[in-house]
Amino acid sequence: METINDAKVSRVSRVRLNWQMKAVLPVAAVLLNGLLLFVLVTLSQENTERNTVLVIATAGAVAICAVMIMVLAVVVHRPMSELQEKIAQVREGDLTVAVDFAGRNDDIGDLGKDFNEMVRQLRESREEIQRLHRTQMSRAEHLATLGELAAGLAHEIRNPLAGIAGVIEIIGRDLPKESPARSVLKDVRSEVLHINKIVSELLEIARPKQPEFRKTDLNATAEHAVMFATEQATSRGVSIELTRDPAPVVIEHDAGQIHQVLLNLLLNGMQACEEGGKVAVQVAQTDEQVQLTVVDTGKGIPPELLGNIFRPFFTTKGNGTGLGLSLARRMVEGHGGKIEVTSWIGKGSRFVVVLPKQGPNGNGA
């Protein structure tokens, strides 16, 4: 019974009254009550003149209602009909429409002005979105072309580079131990390795490898990266501290790529520190995301350079390639995450890698 009654109430609540009825009904109710009272008084006294007055009063009440409907039709109904028509056109994608009653100096006119302003803003927003879309598409095509060019160039460089490295090894074996040219060959070998590193990273940026997602503990990934960086940190007199999340952080991620991201951030942090400096790594999780934070006590990044550190080939280090952070950001974005950076001159920098808990297939921990 309760369900049936609820359904009846729901149907009643959905009943709509025309605006003319809403406007006229209160007036008609007042007039009707007055007429009924007048009729009762009149009928109690048989008087022809009063009956005539009754007829005239009834006709006047009907005329008042009719005039009110006509006035409301002009003042309200036409603007509302026009507004509904324009809204339907906007719904179909036409953002050039405007209502004509916006010039009125009343509340209806204010409504028209607000509607026209809303449509104008929507039109400008759509034009801006279309402009940005064209720009992004053009940029994507440009980057794709540059990527293909970089990949081809990298392959063309690596082949002769491998030959040069082989020749250097042969020359090094044939040179006498006391020959001064051995020190030169050592520098040449170092530069060849440096060029090979640049070419390898350039290839990874031009043709990025798709992440292979597996459900593993992010604590273990971070611990693995810290272990790899510990030896170099010790040689530089820098300490590394890892704070694991107390609970397992089992999410779908490419452990190799996240390991590479963390290792890059660790090495950058160590190189920014003086002897006795410190790099802290923390793994933390919330209900929806995981944060990998790398904080160093180095010299910091100047504010005017902070916005450029993820650009390819931008580096503040003399022997850097400028591709590490760019590649790291691409890998993190491939996981649906982001890298945030904050830096303080003379105090250090903080990099936060934010990864979603939901994997690429919608699977979480």
Side-chain angles (χ1 to χ4, degrees):
M1 288 297 293
E2 291 182 0
T3 304
I4 295 174
N5 292 336
D6 291 342
K8 290 181 179 179
V9 171
S10 177
R11 284 196 298 270
V12 171
S13 64
R14 288 197 297 267
V15 174
R16 294 181 57 184
L17 291 177
N18 195 313
W19 66 266
Q20 291 98 330
M21 294 295 295
K22 292 180 180 179
V24 173
L25 279 177
V27 177
V30 173
L31 290 174
L32 183 60
N33 288 332
L35 287 174
L36 287 175
L37 181 60
F38 186 77
V39 168
L40 291 175
V41 174
T42 303
L43 292 178
S44 64
Q45 303 176 5
E46 294 185 4
N47 190 316
T48 305
E49 293 182 0
R50 289 184 177 181
N51 290 339
T52 303
V53 172
L54 175 61
V55 173
I56 296 174
T58 304
V62 173
I64 290 173
C65 291
V67 169
M68 285 189 62
I69 292 176
M70 292 176 62
V71 170
L72 290 173
V74 174
V75 175
V76 179
H77 181 65
R78 289 181 183 176
M80 292 300 101
S81 298
E82 181 184 0
L83 183 61
Q84 288 179 336
E85 179 184 346
K86 301 300 183 183
I87 290 174
Q89 294 178 12
V90 170
R91 188 182 296 114
E92 293 174 358
D94 184 4
L95 297 181
T96 61
V97 299
V99 293
D100 297 330
F101 59 86
R104 286 174 43 171
N105 190 23
D106 57 9
D107 292 342
I108 300 294
D110 292 340
L111 176 63
K113 293 184 185 72
D114 291 340
F115 176 80
N116 289 347
E117 176 64 17
M118 180 193 69
V119 173
R120 184 189 67 79
Q121 292 180 1
L122 287 173
R123 182 171 61 250
E124 292 179 354
S125 298
R126 184 175 67 178
E127 291 171 356
E128 180 66 14
I129 291 172
Q130 290 174 345
R131 185 189 67 80
L132 291 174
H133 177 70
R134 289 192 298 268
T135 301
Q136 290 297 325
M137 290 299 295
S138 176
R139 184 184 177 191
E141 292 176 1
H142 181 64
L143 289 175
T145 303
L146 287 179
E148 291 296 325
L149 179 62
L153 184 61
H155 280 298
E156 292 299 323
I157 292 175
R158 291 184 83 174
N159 292 332
L161 197 63
I164 292 172
V167 171
I168 291 173
E169 291 296 328
I170 294 173
I171 294 175
R173 288 199 302 265
D174 294 341
L175 280 177
K177 293 182 179 180
E178 65 277 4
S179 174
R182 280 189 171 273
S183 61
V184 177
L185 285 179
K186 183 179 180 182
D187 293 337
V188 173
R189 187 182 295 111
S190 176
E191 292 302 320
V192 168
L193 292 175
H194 184 64
I195 294 172
N196 188 65
K197 181 181 179 183
I198 294 175
V199 171
S200 298
E201 291 181 349
L202 184 61
L203 270 175
E204 290 186 38
I205 290 179
R207 291 180 178 176
K209 180 184 176 182
Q210 292 298 320
E212 298 178 1
F213 292 95
R214 289 186 176 85
K215 189 174 289 188
T216 52
D217 190 354
L218 206 59
N219 280 323
T221 303
E223 187 174 1
H224 194 239
V226 169
M227 182 184 67
F228 264 75
T230 299
E231 182 178 350
Q232 186 171 342
T234 303
S235 65
R236 296 181 62 91
V238 177
S239 62
I240 301 180
E241 179 183 296
L242 172 63
T243 303
R244 298 162 54 104
D245 192 276
V249 188
V250 181
I251 63 170
E252 286 192 344
H253 68 285
D254 188 319
Q257 289 193 2
I258 299 303
H259 169 270
Q260 186 174 344
V261 169
L262 279 176
L263 189 59
N264 183 275
L265 296 178
L266 283 167
L267 294 177
N268 286 347
M270 288 187 298
Q271 292 168 5
C273 291
E274 300 290 341
E275 186 174 355
K278 178 182 175 182
V279 180
V281 182
Q282 182 181 22
V283 183
Q285 63 179 327
T286 64
D287 292 337
E288 297 181 355
Q289 64 185 24
V290 177
Q291 289 188 349
L292 301 170
T293 305
V294 179
V295 183
D296 65 70
T297 59
K299 56 187 177 182
I301 305 170
E304 63 272 15
L305 302 180
L306 201 58
N308 297 322
I309 61 174
F310 293 106
R311 289 174 52 190
F313 299 107
F314 179 85
T315 180
T316 57
K317 298 178 291 186
N319 60 344
T321 64
L323 294 172
L325 285 178
S326 176
L327 187 59
R329 183 172 69 172
R330 174 168 288 188
M331 289 178 177
V332 171
E333 290 176 348
H335 283 69
K338 61 181 178 179
I339 297 184
E340 300 171 345
V341 56
T342 310
S343 189
W344 306 269
I345 296 296
K347 296 183 178 180
S349 303
R350 179 177 63 203
F351 287 82
V352 181
V353 177
V354 182
L355 298 175
K357 272 199 167 181
Q358 291 293 332
N361 300 319
N363 298 322

